[in-house]
Every structure is written in structure tokens, then in C-alpha cells.
């Protein structure tokens, strides 16, 4: 089936900003009262406090000013992507990546295609454990070298990294930014119902690995190889540079999973790694600097998409209509049958995620409204959390307002229509599976 023509990602986001601005003129303004939740230390809405407020429509000038405001709000991620992208180009130019790929090919032998499920499992695990997304943008140049070294294309690299990570996040029983924060806001024990959720996660990952592997094998082409190490760089120096990079990767994983690192610490680590491996790997100051500069240029567009994606929510908040949209989507669910209401919750969460691209921010906005509603309907709060995860988590894979996803595919050189053509049917199947799981949870009274 031929998809309709979809504008350039930047044009798509700017169109979304213009539409959000127009909505501030036609949607009645309203707001919930807010308080700090003691369990999560986040500002959350207070259910039952929605009220009309004074209009604050966003004009053309304010809309334009909202663009740098959105970029400023995404500054930590943007600068991390720039620093990491530069560092990985430097690493590539030392020849260490080619050396590592040669070693990987020897280790896998005839089974080199196993790189796809191995990478899917790694990124799926990172998505489940720490909601990995933006970090993948900077890793894309490295992933492209890996997949092209075994004859796969850029879309395969995006599917086995960002796609797997988002599926892992959407079905994770322990994701601190999705399931755990939603459970705390719902008054549930963190990681409760983990056996049921773990089965959901396993089935979703098996499905994603299967479709990624099938597509990779169907489109496999000629192997491509990275550039050899630079002239004048000894094999020993290249090996040392490679080991330094592996050490930095280990520190990176520990930082995001154990030490509660933010993007500032991760960016500092990548810059230090790039500078060190460049000098140790024989590039010298000049070629190391050139590597960073070229890396900045390669990821600049992708990193800026993150900021543009945030502008939509900035405009809706300034126009004081964000809470009205939430109120309008969830209020009708109180009058529907239980199972239909659960499906409606999931669908509404997906729609809200288009304008609230932060999953943790969405939990703080919607869970305080949905929990009393689910209690009124006699619906398990655990089911309410499942509906939130299924709607918001799976929407991450397809909504153009997810700046991380758009930046990943842009870094890979994959167009949004190409991505949607492959991913949308898979998301539909995963959503159907999530609904089945929700209905099973309702039937067994999952708590």
C-alpha cells in the first residue's frame, strides 16, 4: 500500500507547532491544581480540581519565541548528542571500530547475522531498565558501521536499537520513568505484578526480534567496511584506543543504570573518551579536533529535532489548554463498560503522548486523574498503569513529536515514511497484544 506523501520531519514538527498555536485560540482554557507528590517528588495534578481559567492564546510572535524556548528545554540532550556524536567519529577514525568489527566477525563466524538479535536484546534491556532513547542518537554512527559490516541497512540499525529499546520500555515491569513512576502515583508497590508484566515483555521482545530479523535477512546486501586505521597509527595504539572506548562504554552503562547520571555527565564522559582515544590512537590534536567538528556536523540536524519536538507542548502549556485536552479525553470514559473503558484509557494515553512526549511527565499529568476514575469503575489500578504504558509507550515508536525517535532515524538516514511503513503494522500488532493482556488482567483481577 502506497503511503500518502509525508512532509520533511522538520516541516512536520513546524506544522505541529502551528497547529498547537491555532488550538490555543479555539480550545477553552482550563487547569488542574497541582501539588508535589511525596513518593515521586514530582509535581502532579490534583484530581477533581479542573476549572476554567483566563484565556491566554498564543500569537505568532509568541509562537516563534517558543521555538528557542523548546530548544533551551532540550539543551541537555542536544549537547549530549553533539558531544557523543563527535567522540564516536573520532573513535572511528582511529581504526579501532574496524578492528573491533573484524574481531566480532571472527567470533561469530558463519553466524554473524546473530548481531541483530544480540543488539535487540541489549537495547531492549536498556530500554526496560532505564528508558534508553536519546543515548541511541549518538551511538547511531557506530551501529551503522556494525550493520553495514554484515550487509544490513540503516533501517535495520534503527529497528534493532531505538525500536527494541522503545518496545522494552513500553512493556517493562521496572522502567523507572514509566511503570515505576506510574505505579507510585497509583498507590501501588513499585514493580508489583512483575511476573505478569515480564511475560508481556518477553512476548513483545520475541515478536520485535522476529520481525527485525526477517526484514534484515530479506533486505540483506553487500557487506561494507569501515576505513582502515590512519597512516602512522600502530596496531598497538589502535588496540589501546579500542580498550579505552570499551572502558568508557562500561562506565556509561554503570552511570545510567547505577549512578543516576544525567545527560551532562554522559556528555562529559563521551567528550573525554573522544579526546583521549584520538590522541592515544595516533590522530594528534589537529585530526582529533577535525573528527569532533565533523561529528558535530553529522548529528546537528538530528539533535535539533529534539528541541523542535518539545515546542508543541511548550505552546499548549503557554496557551493553557493542555489540561483541557486531558480533561476532555478522560471524562467520557466514566460512562463506558469496564473493558471498553480500559481500551479507551489506552487509546487516550496514546493521543495525549502526541502532545506530551515525556512519558514521566505524562504519568504525572494523567495518573492522578485516572486512578480515581478506575476506582469508581471498579477497575484494578494495575490495569490503569498497563493502559498508560501501552498507550504512551507504543506511541513513542510512531509519533513525530518524539524527538528522540525522529533524531535516531534522521541520524541513520532513514525517512519518516520509510520508518512508518515498516513499524506501523508492528505497532498495531503490539497494541492488539497489549489490549489482550489488559483484558486478561481484568479477568484475573490483577492487583
Amino acid at each position: 500500500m502506497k503511503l500518502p506523501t509525508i512532509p520533511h520531519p522538520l516541516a512536520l514538527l513546524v506544522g505541529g507547532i502551528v497547529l498547537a498555536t491555532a488550538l490555543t485560540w479555539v480550545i477553552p482554557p482550563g487547569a488542574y491544581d497541582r501539588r508535589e507528590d511525596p513518593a515521586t517528588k514530582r509535581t502532579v495534578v490534583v484530581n477533581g480540581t479542573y476549572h476554567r481559567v483566563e484565556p491566554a492564546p498564543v500569537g505568532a510572535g509568541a509562537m516563534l519565541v517558543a521555538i528557542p524556548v523548546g530548544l533551551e528545554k532540550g539543551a541537555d540532550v542536544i549537547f549530549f548528542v553533539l558531544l557523543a556524536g563527535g567522540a564516536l567519529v573520532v573513535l572511528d577514525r582511529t581504526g579501532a571500530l574496524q578492528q573491533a568489527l573484524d574481531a566480532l566477525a571472527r567470533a561469530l563466524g558463519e553466524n554473524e547475522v546473530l548481531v541483530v538479535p544480540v543488539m535487540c536484546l541489549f537495547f531492549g534491556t536498556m530500554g526496560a531498565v532505564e528508558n534508553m532513547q536519546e543515548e541511541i542518537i549518538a551511538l547511531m554512527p557506530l551501529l551503522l558501521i556494525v550493520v553495514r559490516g554484515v550487509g544490513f541497512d540503516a533501517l535495520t540499525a534503527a529497528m534493532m536499537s531505538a525500536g527494541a529499546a522503545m518496545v522494552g520500555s513500553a512493556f517493562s515491569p521496572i522502567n523507572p520513568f514509566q511503570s515505576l513512576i506510574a505505579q507510585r502515583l497509583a498507590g501501588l508497590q513499585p514493580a508489583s505484578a512483575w511476573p505478569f508484566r515480564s511475560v508481556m515483555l518477553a512476548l513483545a521482545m520475541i515478536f520485535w526480534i522476529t520481525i527485525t530479523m526477517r526484514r534484515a535477512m530479506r533486505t540483506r546486501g553487500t557487506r561494507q567496511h569501515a576505513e582502515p586505521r590512519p597512516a602512522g597509527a600502530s596496531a598497538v595504539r589502535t588496540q589501546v584506543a579500542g580498550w579505552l572506548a570499551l572502558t568508557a562504554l562500561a562506565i556509561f552503562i554503570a552511570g545510567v543504570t547505577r549512578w543516576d547520571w544525567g545527560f551532562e555527565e554522559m556528555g562529559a564522559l563521551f567528550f573525554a573518551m573522544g579526546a583521549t582515544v584520538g590522541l592515544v590512537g595516533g590522530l594528534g590534536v589537529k585530526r582529533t579536533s577535525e573528527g569532533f567538528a565533523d561529528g558535530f556536523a553529522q548529528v546537528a540536524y538530528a539533535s535539533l529535532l529534539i528541541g523542535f519536538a518539545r515546542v508543541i507542548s511548550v505552546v499548549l502549556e503557554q496557551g493553557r489548554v493542555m489540561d483541557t485536552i486531558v480533561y476532555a479525553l478522560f471524562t467520557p470514559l466514566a460512562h463506558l463498560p469496564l473493558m471498553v473503558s480500559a481500551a479507551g484509557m489506552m487509546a487516550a494515553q496514546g493521543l495525549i503522548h502526541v502532545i506530551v512526549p515525556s512519558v514521566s511527565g505524562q504519568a504525572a499529568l494523567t495518573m492522578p486523574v485516572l486512578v480515581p476514575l478506575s476506582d469508581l469503575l471498579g477497575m484494578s489500578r494495575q490495569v490503569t498503569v498497563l493502559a498508560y504504558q501501552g498507550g504512551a509507550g507504543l506511541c513513542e515508536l510512531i509519533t513525530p513529536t518524539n524527538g528522540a525517535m525522529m533524531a535516531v532515524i534522521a541520524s541513520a538516514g532513514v525517512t519518516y515514511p520509510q520508518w512508518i511503513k515498516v513499524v506501523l503494522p508492528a505497532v498495531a500488532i503490539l497494541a492488539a497484544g497489549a489490549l489482550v493482556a489488559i483484558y486478561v488482567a481484568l479477568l484475573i483481577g490483577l492487583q
Side-chain angles (χ1 to χ4, degrees):
M1 182 181 67
K2 185 177 180 180
L3 292 173
T5 301
I6 299 178
H8 187 280
L10 185 57
L12 198 62
L13 290 173
V14 172
I17 294 168
V18 173
L19 176 60
T21 302
L23 290 178
T24 66
W25 290 84
V26 297
I27 295 178
Y32 287 98
D33 293 338
R34 283 168 166 78
R35 63 177 178 82
E36 182 179 281
D37 181 75
T40 62
K41 305 301 182 184
R42 291 177 178 269
T43 300
V44 299
V45 303
V46 179
N47 185 56
T49 62
Y50 176 80
H51 55 280
R52 297 290 293 274
V53 296
E54 288 296 319
V58 176
M63 177 190 73
L64 293 174
V65 172
I67 294 175
V69 171
L71 292 170
E72 181 182 350
K73 287 181 177 294
D76 55 346
V77 183
I78 292 170
F79 290 129
F80 159 71
V81 173
L82 288 169
L83 291 170
L88 289 173
V89 169
V90 172
L91 176 63
D92 182 31
R93 293 186 178 179
T94 65
L97 290 181
Q98 178 61 56
Q99 200 171 74
L101 287 174
D102 290 341
L104 178 63
R106 289 193 298 271
L108 293 176
E110 297 297 321
N111 299 315
E112 60 184 9
V113 296
L114 292 178
V115 69
V116 173
V118 169
M119 289 293 180
C120 281
L121 286 173
F122 171 75
F123 284 104
T125 300
M126 294 302 293
V129 170
E130 64 97 15
N131 204 59
M132 174 180 275
Q133 282 195 35
E134 288 87 353
E135 300 91 327
I136 300 171
I137 304 165
L139 297 176
M140 188 50 63
L142 171 60
L143 291 169
L144 289 174
I145 294 172
V146 171
V147 296
R148 286 168 178 164
V150 293
F152 298 140
D153 63 4
L155 186 51
T156 298
M159 289 182 69
M160 74 183 193
S161 56
M166 292 175 198
V167 171
S169 300
F171 292 93
S172 171
I174 57 171
N175 183 345
F177 300 98
Q178 285 193 38
S179 60
L180 295 190
I181 190 172
Q183 285 178 326
R184 285 194 176 98
L185 291 171
L188 299 168
Q189 187 69 23
S192 55
W194 68 265
F196 184 88
R197 293 167 172 274
S198 296
V199 171
M200 290 177 62
L201 174 62
L203 292 174
M205 286 306 304
I206 289 170
F207 170 75
W208 191 261
I209 291 171
T210 300
I211 65 167
T212 303
M213 192 69 176
R214 287 181 60 186
R215 188 199 170 275
M217 295 303 296
R218 191 171 60 249
T219 59
R220 191 178 188 187
T222 305
R223 296 173 177 82
Q224 301 178 29
H225 298 290
E227 293 295 324
R229 64 175 179 269
S234 68
V236 173
R237 296 185 73 166
T238 302
Q239 287 178 353
V240 172
W243 282 110
L244 286 172
L246 285 175
T247 301
L249 179 61
I251 295 172
F252 168 76
I253 294 172
V256 298
T257 58
R258 296 174 62 88
W259 303 332
D260 197 27
W261 273 12
F263 289 105
E264 294 87 352
E265 291 85 356
M266 290 186 280
L269 172 66
F270 270 94
F271 177 76
M273 183 270 286
T276 303
V277 299
L279 297 175
V280 171
L283 295 183
V285 173
K286 182 176 183 294
R287 284 186 292 172
T288 298
S289 300
E290 290 173 346
F292 268 110
D294 290 344
F296 296 157
Q298 289 179 22
V299 299
Y301 160 63
S303 61
L304 287 175
L305 286 179
I306 298 168
F308 273 89
R310 297 195 178 194
V311 179
I312 294 173
S313 59
V314 169
V315 169
L316 293 175
E317 288 169 359
Q318 289 181 350
R320 311 180 81 177
V321 299
M322 182 78 81
D323 288 4
T324 300
I325 294 172
V326 173
Y327 179 79
L329 284 174
F330 287 138
T331 300
L333 299 180
H335 309 292
L336 298 175
L338 190 61
M339 288 193 173
V340 178
S341 180
M345 283 184 184
M346 181 172 155
Q349 290 284 14
L351 290 172
I352 289 173
H353 194 66
V354 175
I355 59 175
V356 186
S358 165
V359 286
S360 57
Q362 183 170 341
L365 178 64
T366 62
M367 293 308 295
V369 178
L370 285 179
V371 167
L373 175 61
S374 62
D375 290 346
L376 178 66
L377 293 170
M379 180 189 299
S380 165
R381 294 185 177 187
Q382 202 70 251
V383 172
T384 306
V385 175
L386 289 175
Y388 151 74
Q389 274 192 270
L394 291 177
C395 187
E396 295 258 84
L397 284 155
I398 55 175
T399 177
T401 58
N402 180 1
M405 182 271 290
M406 296 294 280
V408 166
I409 63 175
S411 297
V414 175
T415 66
Y416 184 61
Q418 289 172 332
W419 175 258
I420 284 295
K421 182 177 180 180
V422 174
V423 171
L424 187 58
V427 170
I429 294 172
L430 287 170
L435 283 174
V436 170
I438 286 173
Y439 290 153
V440 170
L442 284 170
L443 292 174
I444 66 175
L446 185 70
Q447 298 296 324

